[in-house]
């Protein structure tokens, strides 16, 4: 069963870091997430996929970056055009 969150308010990078148990002091993680998951649609997708078990056997930071890069890659063609 897939869980989808209804966006009640803006999803922030800080929220995503909290739900992934990433320390607030991890500025590098914050900056990378901010550059990859830019829109609310991106952030909603990140949260939904994470909640639905994306992490698997990956270490947390590796899983966070991998998922953010997958979602962020949707925008690469727009940025590089």
């Amino acid at each position: 069963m897939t869980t989808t969150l209804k966006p009640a308010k803006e999803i922030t990078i800080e929220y995503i870091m909290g739900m992934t148990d990433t320390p607030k002091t991890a500025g590098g993680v914050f900056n990378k997430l901010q550059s990859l998951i830019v829109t609310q649609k991106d952030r909603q997708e990140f949260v939904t996929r994470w909640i639905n078990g994306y992490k698997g056997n990956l270490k947390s930071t590796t899983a966070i970056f991998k998922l953010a890069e997958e979602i962020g890659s949707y925008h690469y063609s727009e940025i590089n055009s």
Side-chain angles (χ1 to χ4, degrees):
M1 181 170 138
T2 300
T3 303
T4 303
L5 297 177
K6 294 181 182 177
K9 60 181 183 176
E10 183 177 342
I11 297 171
T12 64
I13 298 300
E14 291 86 354
Y15 173 80
I16 289 172
M17 288 182 69
M19 72 165 255
T20 58
D21 296 323
T22 305
K24 292 181 181 181
T25 55
V29 175
F30 179 89
N31 292 336
K32 184 150 184 151
L33 288 176
Q34 192 169 36
S35 70
L36 290 170
I37 49 177
V38 254
T39 67
Q40 277 301 298
K41 185 177 178 183
D42 294 344
R43 294 172 186 184
Q44 178 68 46
E45 181 175 347
F46 184 99
V47 168
T48 300
R49 288 176 65 184
W50 190 267
I51 288 172
N52 287 320
Y54 179 85
K55 183 178 172 185
N57 293 326
L58 297 171
K59 288 180 68 175
S60 186
T61 305
T62 302
I64 291 166
F65 286 162
K66 186 174 179 196
L67 180 55
E69 287 169 354
E70 284 178 21
I71 295 168
S73 70
Y74 303 153
H75 303 293
Y76 291 156
S77 61
E78 296 170 12
I79 293 169
N80 294 325
S81 315

